[in-house]
Amino acid sequence: MVDQHETWPCDKKDYVLDEPIGVGATATVFRATCIPRNERCAVKCINLEKCQTSVDELSHEIHAMSLCAHPNVVNYHTSFVVEEELWVIMRLLACGSMLDILKRKIKTVGKEVMLYGVLDETTIATILKEVLKGLEYFHSNGQIHRDIKAGNILLADDGTVQIADFGVSGRIAASGGDLSRQKVRHTFVGTPCWMAPEVMEQVSGYDFKADIWSLGILAIELATGTAPYHKYPPMKVLMLTLQNDPPNLETNADKKDQYKNYGKSFRTLIKDCLQKDPAKRPTASELLKYKFFSKAKDKKFLVHSLIENLGAIPVSSHTQNPHKKQVASGKLKKGPDGNWEFEYDSPENTDSSDEEEDGAARSKSAAAAAESAGDGVQIGDTINLVLRVRNQQRELNDIKFDFTKGTDSVEGIAHELVTAELIDCHDLVIVAANLQKLIAHADEKDRRSVTFALNSGVATNEIADERTLTGFAQISIID
Amino acid sequence: MPLPIFGKSHKSPADIVKNLKDALIQIEKGDKKADKAVEEVGKWLQAVKGVIYGQEGQEPHSEQVAQLAQETYSANVLPMLIKNLSKFDFESKKDVALIFNNLLRRQIGTRSPTVEYLCARPEMLQQLVKGYECADIAVTCGSMLRECIRHDHLAKLVLHHESFYQFFEYVEMSSFDVASDAFSTFKDLITKHKTMSAEFLDANYDAFFVHYQKLLNSENYVTRRQSLKLLGELLLDRHNFNVMTRYISNPDNLKLMMNLLKEKSKSIQFEAFHVFKVFVANPNKPRPIADILLRNREKLVEFLTEDEQFNDEKAYLVKQIQEMKV
């Protein structure tokens, strides 16, 4: 039973940290438990040495967070210093950010199907309504979030949608939570894809209407999976946003009426939010009265559509493949002609009840399906591995992870290591190749570890040296 | 009496203040009706905000705001708001700070009526300082205190009161948001009004720096780092010339800086360096200071050349140390 009236303690020994749910260069978010309150929480550990944001900026943003008490704004509990780290205690939002969910959905259901829209209108309306209620509270508090994007919209396991801690999260999420690739290489923290034109121009300053522009971009992101100009480097994004007409759903489209199944009320919402003149953009309260939000449902619906049945594909009348309705079970397999095809479930184990139930039944059966394929390690076997490599500050780190045959893929892990900034993106392939080699010989006793040269080379004042793993990395199996 | 032209029934400033005061009196009685009164306070604070910021996007009416301010002073509502702050609900606390800070900024010609009101009631400032000892109003009081400190008369009242030395504890509190809020108020107090704080530091040099030493030696990494950074700013501010001269002629202070230079934390080394350089760059170094520098000459030169941070300053310092005559 949670002990509510017990205040949140400010001492490290009162918290038990479980596994990390967000890793970054300067901050890590852990699932944790507060012992005196006997309550789950999230603990964000910000390394004050590595984090360029000054202590004043951090305290300013934590101060702003502590002024918020609203169901749709992340609940800040307390914060305290532990050696060189700042621990920020917040509510646990276990299902990750909407960006993680979008990525997971695309990964589960497959890119081809997702071309016609990632989330359906009902889900988008439900999420955006919650975000707007949070923004309404924010703006009434005289605060501007400045970083509204899918990476900063978090989901709890009961379907609660919360705007992540702003400012701090804006900068920290860019390194901690939102691990979009563009950020890896640029000092320009975070990409400006969500930034309003007046903010980019920095001429006349900006007000809360900048958040309304970002909400319009978020709407496009939830539908198409990415922000309009996500492919371009930051400088190009600034230019496109300032010179072009405001983006819309079609900005991302490659094919004609690719996003046909998104209706007029949704497009009107996006058009009104994405007006160049901030004064013309509606306020959060006005937006909440828009027709589009009559489609919104409650958070239990989000539990159903985003947590339990992420695999279900949105209702789309014109899915390309002519033969029977199929869903990708997420296991990649090479087709006879050598290109990647999804291994679709055999039709007999899907019942023919209505669309929504269909999706639920199929994704449950997909997860349950055990496919036996021998090469050394049996399906479902898990091997524990450690990757020893130097980080951006050239300190040697051990990154532990496990590999389960059948569910994990070597490229998937290598990709996650890159997006988590644990390895340089130039080393994606070399790490995957050596991981592959190691797993293939997992059962031979003598081949328990492999050391290899990295493509990312060495820092200017270093010379490559296998012994000290400068310019090299090592993966070993640990039992 | 202006016609209620805003649609929903619009109470006059006098009514709003009167109702607010009644609710506050109810709370102070503390009987079972107090909970209802907390809600009432919340409602009337919203009404006050409505007058000050205008309703639903309309501009506020300046004579209404003036009337409201006048009523607030004459009814002595501000002291009651601060005294009962911890009893209000979450949003009301923020509204009190918003209203208080807004009133403080009100100017009539060259006069600031709220500043005068507070000058006549210094105990209100002490209540705000004491607010740091109660976690759930600390940050609200801090915001009001910093608004007060923007005015030199009020800053002087806080600085010269013995409760000022409480800040050395408040900045070390375990909760980061309270401690960092206290630190920014503390910093405003000793840096906002240059001449006044220079005189204060000069007059209270020993008492101040005995306390300040504890901050520089605190186990809390943030306290050490922030107080070191603030020390650098203080010493390098020309208004504090006397204080600086006195500080850099004390060998214990030099030893402390040299120890901090050796800390593993890059940021603390960085801040310590900016204080250490003042000792070395002092043209007429007192004997004890010169002795320490000479005794550690090689180590210092090696240390300064090894790390490539702030090289040009270092090159200068290395030359200084090397050319020191025995």
Side-chain angles (χ1 to χ4, degrees), chain A residues 26-27 35 104 155 163 176 201 213 219 242 253 261 298 320 331 337 349 358-359 370 396 401 413 430 475:
Chain A
T26 59
I35 306 165
R104 236 177 278 142
L155 191 68
I163 301 174
E201 279 161 345
W213 171 282
L242 291 172
N261 50 26
D298 62 12
Q320 226 49 358
K331 290 199 195 65
D337 45 24
N349 61 17
D358 236 2
L396 209 50
F401 59 94
I413 289 187
I430 190 74
I475 311 176

Side-chain angles (χ1 to χ4, degrees), chain B residues 119-154:
Chain B
C119 281
R121 294 165 182 76
E123 69 286 356
M124 282 177 71
L125 294 173
Q126 298 320 318
Q127 261 178 327
L128 288 179
V129 172
K130 253 227 170 321
Y132 276 117
E133 287 159 28
C134 162
D136 59 3
I137 60 167
V139 173
T140 315
C141 290
S143 137
M144 292 192 270
L145 207 46
R146 278 191 299 282
E147 192 58 43
C148 293
I149 291 167
R150 291 178 58 232
H151 305 273
D152 52 2
H153 301 298
L154 299 180

Side-chain angles (χ1 to χ4, degrees), chain B residues 294-311:
Chain B
L294 280 167
R295 223 175 289 129
N296 298 283
R297 184 179 356 209
E298 291 68 31
K299 269 191 252 121
L300 281 172
V301 168
E302 194 206 307
F303 172 78
L304 290 174
T305 41
E306 164 235 48
D307 169 8
E308 66 301 323
Q309 265 187 355
F310 24 78
N311 319 28

Side-chain angles (χ1 to χ4, degrees), chain A residues 36 92 134 186 197 219 283 288 332 345 382 394 442 452 461:
Chain A
L92 178 62
H186 296 283
T283 66
L288 281 168
L332 300 175
D345 282 317
T382 306
R394 311 313 293 157
F452 52 92
N461 51 12

Side-chain angles (χ1 to χ4, degrees), chain A residues 49 56 63 67 79 137 141, chain B residues 91 94 139 176 221 265 267:
Chain A
E49 270 299 297
D56 296 335
H63 169 70
L67 291 181
S79 56
Y137 175 81
N141 247 350
Chain B
E91 296 299 332
K94 290 190 293 183
V139 173
F176 174 76
Y221 160 83
S265 145
S267 326

Side-chain angles (χ1 to χ4, degrees), chain A residues 373-383 403-405 439-443:
Chain A
D375 56 16
V377 171
Q378 286 312 318
I379 289 305
D381 282 2
T382 306
I383 352 168
F403 179 84
T404 319
K405 189 80 180 70
I439 291 166
H441 306 285
D443 37 29

Side-chain angles (χ1 to χ4, degrees), chain A residues 10 48-49 53-56 58-59 62-63 66-69 76 78-81 83-84 86 137 141, chain B residues 49 90-91 94 139 143 146 174-177 180-181 187 220-222 225-226 229 264-268:
Chain A
C10 288
L48 295 170
E49 270 299 297
T53 358
S54 76
V55 174
D56 296 335
L58 276 180
S59 70
I62 286 190
H63 169 70
S66 65
L67 291 181
C68 291
Y76 161 82
T78 189
S79 56
F80 50 93
V81 176
E83 276 108 38
E84 295 184 354
L86 175 65
Y137 175 81
N141 247 350
Chain B
K49 264 183 18 179
F90 186 83
E91 296 299 332
K94 290 190 293 183
V139 173
S143 137
R146 278 191 299 282
S174 59
S175 141
F176 174 76
D177 44 347
S180 54
D181 190 283
K187 184 179 175 188
N220 182 312
Y221 160 83
V222 169
R225 178 171 154 182
Q226 291 290 79
K229 183 164 185 273
K264 66 176 174 38
S265 145
K266 272 266 173 276
S267 326
I268 289 196

Side-chain angles (χ1 to χ4, degrees), chain A residues 105-125:
Chain A
K105 174 143 200 176
I106 294 170
K107 198 172 156 190
T108 324
V109 176
K111 283 204 175 52
E112 290 69 24
V113 180
M114 289 290 102
L115 279 177
Y116 308 104
V118 184
L119 299 181
D120 59 79
E121 282 200 346
T122 316
T123 309
I124 294 177

